[in-house]
Amino acid sequence: MTQPPLRLQSLTREQHLAFVAARPSASHMQLPSWGEVKPDWTAESLGWFDGEGQLVGAALVLYRPLPRLKRYLAYLPEGPVIDWHAPDLAERWLAPMLAHLKAKGAFSVKMGPPVVTRRWSPDAVKAAIADPAARRLRDAEPTSYEPGAQDIAERLRRSGWRQTEPGGEDGFAAGQPRYVCQVPFAGRTLDDIQRGLNQQWRRNIKKAEKAGVKVVQGGYDDLPVFYDLYAETAERDRFIPRPLPYFQRMWTALTAEHPDRMRLYLAHHDGDTLAAATMLTVGEHVWYSYGASTSRKREVQPNNAMQWRMMCDAHTLGAAVYDFRGITDTLEESNHLLGLLRFKVGAGGEAVEYLGEWDFPLNRMLHKALDLYMARR
């Protein structure tokens, strides 16, 4: 017998946080604090309630207004946090969400289901990189398929959702990454994790230790030091840096929600800061979020030392996974991001593919206009 659609209503911050706290993990982009990091968007916490009044799902929705129109793009980054394997996903869960967002003035909805589809072990990624015939990770044979993921994708398509393909030559989409690198921690000791590092990683950690690299935790006042390195990294790696106030806002919002939600690490050598990184934690999921380094003194291997300290601390925090975030899908030697893929996989990370981001046009004309505008950017 078909069950009635779930009831959807706005949540208080406390309700939203309590729901997430009762789960093993959720994306940091699905927490109330993330709305405060994005001042150009309006945020709303939404909850799904069953017939008995129990909260069974939650989401952070970000609304971006169209210039001069009271219409919005509704975005649920790496969310919503619902039962994605429910047989009546479209009718019972997503239909009431679309109705709510349309009533709010949304002309289009974008979401990123936190559903894994395939995984490639470190050895499988290494073999794919070495294979001259393999041009993209998605073409290499995966180590495992996640049951039910393709069924979810089919149900989304049948109900009118459209999958956004990873864009650009490097496989990164315009929104959140579809391909990430994750080191599994669940059920593993720190010695197990250390044995998962490749020879180069182990060698570099020893080099850093011998050279006297010291990795310390920083605070809000150290963000300008991080930012100087980040701006240098942006110029070197050819990406547009976010402004310093973004990171200051991020620190203030996330640490106010939970004192350990965001950490800052700095790698020092002889009084010189050579590398810095931010780390985020929600439940059993830990992310390496933003990294920065200088070209000076690379021979003392500050990045390996810093990442190993972060991995050790994540393990102490009870992490089930250490997430290196986005990786390139392109395996060609000419791609400047291939070195970053090698670095992350060398730490014992497996490549993980998510379902990607999906759009639902509530107003086809405005949705198409947005697509054309984004294509020109």
Side-chain angles (χ1 to χ4, degrees), residues 106-256:
F107 67 89
S108 185
V109 181
K110 182 183 284 289
M111 66 178 181
V115 176
V116 171
T117 61
R118 300 185 286 179
R119 298 176 189 269
W120 293 260
S121 69
D123 286 342
V125 178
K126 192 177 171 185
I129 293 172
D131 181 359
R135 297 190 60 204
R136 290 190 175 274
L137 182 63
R138 70 186 87 161
D139 301 325
E141 185 62 34
T143 311
S144 65
Y145 291 88
E146 293 295 317
Q150 288 311 312
D151 182 49
I152 293 168
E154 280 306 312
R155 278 186 278 156
L156 289 175
R157 285 190 194 97
R158 283 199 303 268
S159 58
W161 289 87
R162 303 171 180 177
Q163 190 173 28
T164 306
E165 283 303 311
E169 57 170 358
D170 51 30
F172 281 109
Q176 301 311 314
R178 182 162 162 186
Y179 296 90
V180 301
C181 185
Q182 297 176 347
V183 184
F185 275 22
R188 299 174 73 197
T189 66
L190 205 52
D191 285 343
D192 294 335
I193 294 161
Q194 191 168 26
R195 280 192 290 272
L197 304 174
N198 70 14
Q199 276 189 328
Q200 188 69 51
W201 260 82
R202 291 199 292 270
R203 197 179 299 128
N204 287 351
I205 290 167
K206 281 181 183 170
K207 265 189 195 175
E209 193 178 343
K210 196 173 177 182
V213 173
K214 296 280 184 268
V215 180
V216 300
Q217 262 187 259
Y220 180 89
D221 293 342
D222 297 298
L223 286 172
V225 177
F226 158 81
Y227 191 78
D228 287 344
L229 293 171
Y230 169 71
E232 182 183 333
T233 305
E235 189 175 346
R236 184 176 67 240
D237 292 349
R238 307 194 293 277
F239 66 85
I240 298 166
R242 294 186 180 278
L244 175 58
Y246 177 86
F247 295 101
Q248 292 170 325
R249 204 163 49 240
M250 191 173 164
W251 180 275
T252 303
L254 270 60
T255 56

